[in-house]
Coordinates of all heavy atoms in Angstrom, one line a residue:
M274 N -10.4 -35.3 0.6 CA -11.8 -35.6 0.5 C -12.1 -35.9 -1.0 O -11.5 -35.3 -1.9 CB -12.6 -34.4 0.8 CG -13.9 -34.2 0.2 SD -14.8 -32.7 0.6 CE -14.1 -31.5 -0.7
Y275 N -12.9 -37.0 -1.3 CA -13.2 -37.3 -2.6 C -14.1 -36.4 -3.3 O -15.1 -36.0 -2.7 CB -13.8 -38.8 -2.8 CG -12.8 -39.8 -2.7 CD1 -12.6 -40.5 -1.5 CD2 -12.0 -40.2 -3.8 CE1 -11.6 -41.5 -1.4 CE2 -11.1 -41.1 -3.7 CZ -10.8 -41.8 -2.5 OH -9.8 -42.7 -2.5
V276 N -13.7 -35.9 -4.4 CA -14.6 -34.9 -5.1 C -15.4 -35.7 -6.1 O -16.6 -35.6 -6.3 CB -13.8 -33.8 -5.8 CG1 -14.6 -33.0 -6.8 CG2 -13.1 -32.9 -4.8
C277 N -14.7 -36.6 -6.8 CA -15.3 -37.4 -7.9 C -15.3 -38.9 -7.5 O -14.2 -39.5 -7.5 CB -14.6 -37.1 -9.2 SG -15.2 -38.0 -10.5
L278 N -16.5 -39.5 -7.3 CA -16.5 -40.8 -6.8 C -16.3 -41.8 -8.1 O -15.8 -42.9 -8.0 CB -17.8 -41.2 -6.1 CG -18.0 -40.4 -4.8 CD1 -19.3 -40.8 -4.2 CD2 -16.8 -40.8 -3.8
C279 N -16.7 -41.4 -9.3 CA -16.6 -42.1 -10.5 C -15.1 -42.4 -10.8 O -14.8 -43.6 -11.2 CB -17.3 -41.5 -11.6 SG -19.0 -41.4 -11.5
T280 N -14.3 -41.4 -10.7 CA -12.9 -41.5 -11.1 C -11.9 -41.5 -9.9 O -10.7 -41.7 -10.1 CB -12.5 -40.4 -12.0 OG1 -12.7 -39.2 -11.5 CG2 -13.4 -40.5 -13.3
G281 N -12.4 -41.3 -8.6 CA -11.7 -41.3 -7.5 C -10.7 -40.2 -7.3 O -9.5 -40.3 -6.8
V282 N -11.2 -39.0 -7.8 CA -10.3 -37.8 -7.8 C -10.6 -37.1 -6.5 O -11.7 -36.8 -6.2 CB -10.5 -36.9 -9.0 CG1 -9.7 -35.6 -8.9 CG2 -10.1 -37.6 -10.3
T283 N -9.5 -36.6 -5.8 CA -9.7 -35.9 -4.5 C -9.4 -34.5 -4.7 O -8.9 -34.2 -5.7 CB -8.7 -36.5 -3.4 OG1 -7.3 -36.2 -4.0 CG2 -8.8 -38.0 -3.2
D284 N -9.8 -33.7 -3.7 CA -9.5 -32.2 -3.8 C -8.1 -32.0 -3.8 O -7.5 -31.1 -4.5 CB -10.3 -31.5 -2.6 CG -9.8 -31.9 -1.2 OD1 -9.4 -33.1 -1.1 OD2 -9.8 -31.2 -0.3
G285 N -7.2 -32.8 -3.1 CA -5.9 -32.7 -3.1 C -5.3 -32.9 -4.5 O -4.3 -32.2 -5.0
Q286 N -5.8 -33.9 -5.3 CA -5.3 -34.0 -6.7 C -5.6 -32.9 -7.5 O -4.9 -32.5 -8.4 CB -5.9 -35.3 -7.2 CG -5.3 -36.6 -6.6 CD -6.1 -37.9 -7.1 OE1 -7.2 -38.0 -6.7 NE2 -5.4 -38.7 -7.8
I287 N -6.8 -32.3 -7.3 CA -7.2 -31.1 -8.1 C -6.2 -30.0 -7.8 O -5.7 -29.2 -8.7 CB -8.6 -30.7 -7.8 CG1 -9.6 -31.7 -8.3 CG2 -8.9 -29.3 -8.4 CD1 -11.0 -31.6 -8.0
R288 N -5.9 -29.8 -6.5 CA -5.0 -28.6 -6.1 C -3.6 -28.9 -6.6 O -3.0 -28.0 -7.2 CB -5.0 -28.6 -4.5 CG -6.2 -28.0 -3.9 CD -5.9 -27.6 -2.5 NE -7.1 -26.9 -2.1 CZ -8.2 -27.6 -1.5 NH1 -8.0 -28.9 -1.2 NH2 -9.2 -26.9 -1.2
E289 N -3.2 -30.2 -6.6 CA -1.8 -30.5 -7.1 C -1.8 -30.3 -8.6 O -0.7 -29.7 -9.1 CB -1.7 -32.1 -6.9 CG -0.2 -32.6 -7.0 CD 0.7 -31.9 -6.0 OE1 0.3 -31.7 -4.9 OE2 1.8 -31.5 -6.4
A290 N -2.8 -30.6 -9.3 CA -2.9 -30.3 -10.8 C -2.7 -28.8 -11.0 O -2.0 -28.4 -12.0 CB -4.1 -30.8 -11.4
I291 N -3.3 -27.9 -10.2 CA -3.2 -26.5 -10.4 C -1.8 -26.0 -10.0 O -1.2 -25.2 -10.7 CB -4.3 -25.8 -9.5 CG1 -5.6 -26.1 -10.1 CG2 -4.1 -24.3 -9.5 CD1 -6.9 -25.7 -9.3
Y292 N -1.2 -26.6 -9.1 CA 0.2 -26.3 -8.6 C 1.2 -26.6 -9.7 O 2.1 -26.1 -9.9 CB 0.6 -26.9 -7.3 CG -0.3 -26.4 -6.1 CD1 -0.5 -27.3 -5.1 CD2 -0.7 -25.1 -6.0 CE1 -1.3 -26.8 -4.0 CE2 -1.4 -24.6 -4.9 CZ -1.7 -25.6 -3.9 OH -2.5 -25.2 -2.8
E293 N 0.7 -27.7 -10.5 CA 1.7 -28.2 -11.5 C 1.4 -27.4 -12.9 O 2.0 -27.8 -13.9 CB 1.5 -29.6 -11.7 CG 2.2 -30.4 -10.5 CD 2.0 -31.9 -10.5 OE1 1.4 -32.4 -11.5 OE2 2.4 -32.5 -9.5
G294 N 0.5 -26.5 -12.9 CA 0.4 -25.7 -14.1 C -1.0 -25.5 -14.7 O -1.2 -24.8 -15.6
C295 N -2.0 -26.4 -14.3 CA -3.3 -26.2 -14.8 C -3.9 -24.9 -14.3 O -3.8 -24.5 -13.1 CB -4.3 -27.3 -14.3 SG -3.9 -28.9 -15.0
C296 N -4.5 -24.1 -15.2 CA -5.0 -22.8 -14.8 C -6.5 -22.6 -15.1 O -6.9 -21.5 -15.1 CB -4.1 -21.7 -15.3 SG -3.9 -21.8 -17.1
S297 N -7.1 -23.7 -15.3 CA -8.6 -23.6 -15.5 C -9.3 -24.9 -15.2 O -8.6 -25.9 -15.1 CB -8.9 -23.2 -17.0 OG -8.6 -24.4 -17.8
Y298 N -10.6 -24.9 -15.1 CA -11.4 -26.1 -14.8 C -11.1 -27.2 -15.9 O -11.0 -28.3 -15.6 CB -12.9 -25.8 -14.5 CG -13.7 -27.0 -14.6 CD1 -13.7 -27.8 -13.5 CD2 -14.6 -27.2 -15.6 CE1 -14.5 -29.0 -13.4 CE2 -15.4 -28.3 -15.5 CZ -15.3 -29.2 -14.5 OH -16.2 -30.3 -14.4
R299 N -11.1 -26.7 -17.1 CA -10.9 -27.5 -18.3 C -9.6 -28.1 -18.2 O -9.5 -29.4 -18.4 CB -11.0 -26.6 -19.6 CG -10.9 -27.5 -20.8 CD -11.0 -26.7 -22.0 NE -12.3 -26.1 -22.2 CZ -12.7 -25.3 -23.3 NH1 -11.8 -25.1 -24.2 NH2 -13.9 -24.9 -23.3
D300 N -8.5 -27.5 -17.9 CA -7.2 -28.0 -17.8 C -7.2 -29.2 -16.7 O -6.6 -30.3 -16.9 CB -6.2 -27.1 -17.3 CG -5.8 -26.1 -18.4 OD1 -6.2 -26.3 -19.6 OD2 -5.1 -25.0 -18.2
V301 N -7.8 -28.8 -15.6 CA -7.9 -29.8 -14.4 C -8.7 -31.0 -14.8 O -8.2 -32.1 -14.5 CB -8.5 -29.1 -13.2 CG1 -8.8 -30.1 -12.1 CG2 -7.6 -28.0 -12.6
R302 N -9.7 -30.8 -15.6 CA -10.5 -31.9 -16.0 C -9.7 -32.9 -16.9 O -9.8 -34.1 -16.9 CB -11.8 -31.5 -16.7 CG -12.8 -32.5 -16.9 CD -14.1 -32.0 -17.5 NE -14.9 -33.1 -18.0 CZ -15.8 -33.0 -18.8 NH1 -16.1 -31.8 -19.2 NH2 -16.4 -34.0 -19.2
Q303 N -9.0 -32.3 -17.9 CA -8.1 -33.0 -18.7 C -7.0 -33.8 -18.1 O -6.7 -34.9 -18.3 CB -7.6 -32.2 -19.8 CG -8.5 -31.8 -20.9 CD -8.1 -30.9 -22.0 OE1 -7.0 -30.3 -21.8 NE2 -8.7 -30.7 -23.0
A304 N -6.5 -33.1 -17.0 CA -5.3 -33.7 -16.3 C -5.7 -34.8 -15.3 O -5.0 -35.8 -15.1 CB -4.5 -32.6 -15.5
T305 N -6.9 -34.6 -14.7 CA -7.3 -35.6 -13.6 C -8.4 -36.5 -14.0 O -8.5 -37.6 -13.4 CB -7.7 -34.8 -12.4 OG1 -8.9 -34.1 -12.7 CG2 -6.6 -33.9 -11.9
G306 N -9.1 -36.1 -15.0 CA -10.3 -37.0 -15.4 C -11.5 -36.7 -14.5 O -12.6 -37.4 -14.7
V307 N -11.4 -35.7 -13.7 CA -12.6 -35.3 -12.7 C -13.8 -35.0 -13.6 O -13.6 -34.4 -14.7 CB -12.2 -34.3 -11.8 CG1 -12.0 -32.9 -12.5 CG2 -13.2 -34.1 -10.7
A308 N -15.0 -35.4 -13.2 CA -16.2 -35.1 -13.8 C -16.3 -35.6 -15.3 O -17.1 -35.1 -16.1 CB -16.5 -33.6 -13.9
S309 N -15.6 -36.7 -15.6 CA -15.6 -37.1 -17.0 C -16.5 -38.3 -17.2 O -16.7 -38.8 -18.3 CB -14.1 -37.6 -17.4 OG -13.7 -38.6 -16.5
Q310 N -17.3 -38.7 -16.2 CA -18.3 -39.8 -16.3 C -19.7 -39.4 -16.0 O -20.3 -38.8 -16.9 CB -17.8 -41.0 -15.4 CG -16.6 -41.6 -16.0 CD -16.0 -42.8 -15.3 OE1 -17.0 -43.5 -14.6 NE2 -14.9 -43.1 -15.3
C311 N -20.2 -39.4 -14.8 CA -21.6 -39.0 -14.6 C -21.7 -37.5 -14.6 O -22.8 -37.0 -14.8 CB -22.2 -39.6 -13.3 SG -21.6 -38.9 -11.8
G312 N -20.7 -36.8 -14.2 CA -20.7 -35.3 -14.2 C -21.3 -34.6 -12.9 O -21.5 -33.4 -12.7
K313 N -21.8 -35.5 -11.9 CA -22.4 -34.9 -10.7 C -21.4 -34.2 -9.9 O -21.9 -33.3 -9.0 CB -23.0 -36.1 -9.9 CG -24.3 -36.7 -10.5 CD -24.9 -37.8 -9.7 CE -26.1 -38.4 -10.4 NZ -26.6 -39.5 -9.6
C314 N -20.2 -34.4 -10.0 CA -19.2 -33.8 -9.2 C -18.7 -32.4 -9.8 O -17.9 -31.8 -9.2 CB -18.0 -34.6 -9.0 SG -17.3 -35.1 -10.6
A315 N -19.2 -32.1 -11.0 CA -18.7 -30.9 -11.6 C -18.7 -29.6 -10.8 O -17.7 -28.8 -10.8 CB -19.4 -30.7 -13.0
C316 N -19.9 -29.4 -10.2 CA -20.1 -28.2 -9.4 C -19.0 -28.1 -8.3 O -18.3 -27.1 -8.1 CB -21.4 -28.2 -8.7 SG -22.5 -27.0 -9.4
L317 N -18.8 -29.2 -7.6 CA -17.8 -29.2 -6.4 C -16.4 -29.1 -7.0 O -15.5 -28.4 -6.5 CB -17.9 -30.5 -5.6 CG -17.0 -30.6 -4.4 CD1 -17.1 -29.5 -3.5 CD2 -17.3 -31.9 -3.7
A318 N -16.1 -29.7 -8.1 CA -14.8 -29.7 -8.7 C -14.5 -28.3 -9.2 O -13.4 -27.7 -8.9 CB -14.8 -30.6 -9.9
K319 N -15.5 -27.5 -9.7 CA -15.3 -26.2 -10.2 C -15.0 -25.3 -9.0 O -14.2 -24.3 -9.1 CB -16.5 -25.6 -11.0 CG -16.6 -26.1 -12.3 CD -17.9 -25.7 -13.0 CE -18.0 -26.3 -14.3 NZ -19.3 -26.1 -14.9
Q320 N -15.7 -25.6 -7.9 CA -15.5 -24.8 -6.6 C -14.1 -24.9 -6.1 O -13.5 -24.0 -5.7 CB -16.6 -25.3 -5.6 CG -16.6 -24.4 -4.3 CD -17.6 -25.0 -3.4 OE1 -18.6 -25.6 -3.7 NE2 -17.3 -24.8 -2.1
V321 N -13.6 -26.2 -6.1 CA -12.2 -26.4 -5.6 C -11.2 -25.7 -6.5 O -10.3 -25.1 -6.1 CB -11.9 -28.0 -5.6 CG1 -10.5 -28.2 -5.1 CG2 -12.8 -28.7 -4.5
V322 N -11.5 -25.8 -7.8 CA -10.6 -25.2 -8.7 C -10.6 -23.6 -8.5 O -9.5 -23.0 -8.3 CB -11.0 -25.4 -10.2 CG1 -10.2 -24.5 -11.2 CG2 -10.8 -26.9 -10.6
R323 N -11.8 -23.1 -8.4 CA -12.0 -21.6 -8.1 C -11.3 -21.2 -6.9 O -10.5 -20.2 -6.9 CB -13.5 -21.3 -8.1 CG -13.7 -19.8 -8.5 CD -15.2 -19.5 -8.6 NE -16.0 -20.5 -9.3 CZ -17.0 -21.2 -8.9 NH1 -17.4 -21.2 -7.7 NH2 -17.6 -22.0 -9.7
E324 N -11.5 -21.9 -5.8 CA -10.9 -21.6 -4.6 C -9.3 -21.7 -4.6 O -8.7 -20.8 -4.1 CB -11.3 -22.5 -3.4 CG -12.7 -22.2 -2.9 CD -13.2 -23.3 -1.9 OE1 -12.4 -24.2 -1.5 OE2 -14.5 -23.3 -1.6
T325 N -8.9 -22.7 -5.2 CA -7.4 -22.9 -5.3 C -6.7 -21.7 -6.1 O -5.7 -21.2 -5.8 CB -7.0 -24.2 -5.8 OG1 -7.8 -25.2 -5.1 CG2 -5.6 -24.5 -5.8
L326 N -7.4 -21.4 -7.3 CA -6.9 -20.3 -8.1 C -6.8 -19.0 -7.3 O -5.9 -18.3 -7.4 CB -7.6 -20.3 -9.4 CG -7.4 -21.4 -10.4 CD1 -8.4 -21.2 -11.6 CD2 -5.9 -21.4 -10.9
T327 N -7.9 -18.8 -6.6 CA -8.0 -17.5 -5.8 C -6.9 -17.5 -4.7 O -6.3 -16.5 -4.6 CB -9.5 -17.4 -5.2 OG1 -10.4 -17.5 -6.2 CG2 -9.6 -16.1 -4.5
E328 N -6.7 -18.6 -4.1 CA -5.7 -18.7 -3.0 C -4.3 -18.4 -3.6 O -3.5 -17.6 -3.1 CB -5.6 -20.1 -2.4 CG -6.7 -20.3 -1.3 CD -6.7 -21.8 -1.0 OE1 -5.8 -22.6 -1.2 OE2 -7.8 -22.3 -0.4
L329 N -4.1 -19.0 -4.8 CA -2.8 -18.9 -5.5 C -2.5 -17.4 -5.8 O -1.5 -16.8 -5.6 CB -2.7 -19.7 -6.7 CG -2.0 -21.0 -6.6 CD1 -2.0 -21.7 -7.9 CD2 -0.6 -20.9 -6.1
Q330 N -3.6 -16.8 -6.4 CA -3.6 -15.4 -6.8 C -3.2 -14.5 -5.6 O -2.4 -13.6 -5.7 CB -4.9 -15.0 -7.4 CG -4.9 -14.6 -8.8 CD -6.2 -14.2 -9.4 OE1 -7.2 -14.3 -8.7 NE2 -6.2 -13.8 -10.6
N331 N -4.0 -14.8 -4.5 CA -3.8 -13.9 -3.3 C -2.4 -14.1 -2.7 O -1.7 -13.1 -2.3 CB -4.8 -14.3 -2.2 CG -6.2 -13.8 -2.6 OD1 -6.3 -12.9 -3.4 ND2 -7.2 -14.4 -2.0
S332 N -1.8 -15.4 -2.8 CA -0.5 -15.6 -2.2 C 0.6 -15.0 -3.0 O 1.6 -14.5 -2.6 CB -0.2 -17.1 -2.0 OG -0.2 -17.7 -3.3
Q333 N 0.3 -14.9 -4.4 CA 1.3 -14.3 -5.3 C 1.2 -12.7 -5.1 O 2.3 -12.1 -5.2 CB 1.0 -14.6 -6.7 CG 1.5 -16.0 -7.1 CD 1.1 -16.5 -8.4 OE1 0.4 -15.8 -9.1 NE2 1.6 -17.7 -8.7
A334 N 0.0 -12.2 -4.8 CA -0.1 -10.8 -4.5 C 0.7 -10.4 -3.3 O 1.1 -9.3 -3.1 CB -1.5 -10.4 -4.4
A335 N 0.9 -11.3 -2.3 CA 1.5 -11.0 -1.1 C 3.0 -11.1 -1.1 O 3.7 -10.7 -0.2 CB 1.0 -12.1 0.0
I336 N 3.5 -11.6 -2.3 CA 5.0 -11.7 -2.3 C 5.5 -10.2 -2.6 O 5.1 -9.6 -3.5 CB 5.4 -12.6 -3.5 CG1 4.9 -14.1 -3.2 CG2 6.9 -12.5 -3.8 CD1 5.2 -14.9 -4.4
P337 N 6.4 -9.8 -1.8 CA 6.9 -8.4 -1.9 C 7.7 -8.3 -3.3 O 8.3 -9.2 -3.7 CB 7.8 -8.2 -0.7 CG 8.1 -9.6 -0.2 CD 7.1 -10.4 -0.6
Y338 N 7.8 -7.1 -3.7 CA 8.6 -6.9 -4.9 C 10.0 -6.9 -4.5 O 10.4 -6.6 -3.3 CB 8.2 -5.4 -5.4 CG 6.9 -5.3 -6.0 CD1 5.8 -4.8 -5.4 CD2 6.7 -5.8 -7.3 CE1 4.6 -4.7 -5.9 CE2 5.4 -5.8 -7.9 CZ 4.3 -5.2 -7.1 OH 3.1 -5.2 -7.6
P339 N 10.9 -7.3 -5.4 CA 12.3 -7.3 -5.1 C 12.8 -6.0 -4.6 O 12.5 -5.0 -5.1 CB 13.0 -7.7 -6.4 CG 11.9 -7.9 -7.4 CD 10.6 -7.5 -6.8
V340 N 13.5 -6.1 -3.5 CA 14.1 -4.9 -3.0 C 15.3 -4.4 -3.7 O 16.2 -5.2 -4.1 CB 14.5 -5.2 -1.5 CG1 15.1 -3.9 -0.8 CG2 13.4 -5.7 -0.7
E341 N 15.4 -3.1 -4.0 CA 16.5 -2.6 -4.7 C 17.5 -2.0 -3.7 O 17.1 -1.4 -2.6 CB 16.1 -1.4 -5.6 CG 15.4 -1.9 -6.8 CD 14.9 -0.8 -7.7 OE1 15.7 0.2 -7.8 OE2 13.9 -0.9 -8.4
F342 N 18.8 -2.4 -3.8 CA 19.8 -2.0 -2.9 C 20.5 -0.8 -3.5 O 20.9 -0.8 -4.6 CB 20.8 -3.1 -2.6 CG 20.2 -4.3 -1.9 CD1 19.8 -5.4 -2.6 CD2 20.0 -4.2 -0.5 CE1 19.3 -6.5 -1.9 CE2 19.4 -5.3 0.2 CZ 19.0 -6.5 -0.6
N343 N 20.7 0.2 -2.6 CA 21.4 1.4 -2.9 C 22.8 1.3 -2.2 O 22.8 1.3 -1.0 CB 20.7 2.7 -2.6 CG 19.5 2.9 -3.6 OD1 19.6 2.5 -4.7 ND2 18.5 3.4 -3.0
V344 N 23.9 1.2 -3.0 CA 25.2 1.2 -2.3 C 25.6 2.7 -2.2 O 25.7 3.3 -3.1 CB 26.2 0.4 -3.1 CG1 27.6 0.4 -2.4 CG2 25.7 -1.1 -3.3
A345 N 25.7 3.1 -0.9 CA 26.1 4.5 -0.6 C 27.7 4.7 -0.8 O 28.4 3.9 -0.6 CB 25.7 4.9 0.7
Ligands
FES684 S1 -18.8 -38.3 -9.6 FE1 -17.4 -37.4 -10.9 S2 -18.0 -38.0 -12.9 FE2 -19.3 -39.1 -11.5

């Protein structure tokens, strides 16, 4: 889905930018150019960033701690 019609940035591109290391709306904006023209998409772009960061945080919390092996 297009988030920013001015620059043609999609929600997938925003997610990809976060997976590649962006960790804030500001980072995503610099990396993708989203909301850099009229700014009407800023709210939706922030929402996608927030959702993606939350998903990432939750999925990382679900990763089990490394198992320690005891050799008897
Ligand atoms: S719709 Fe994103 S800057 Fe205009």
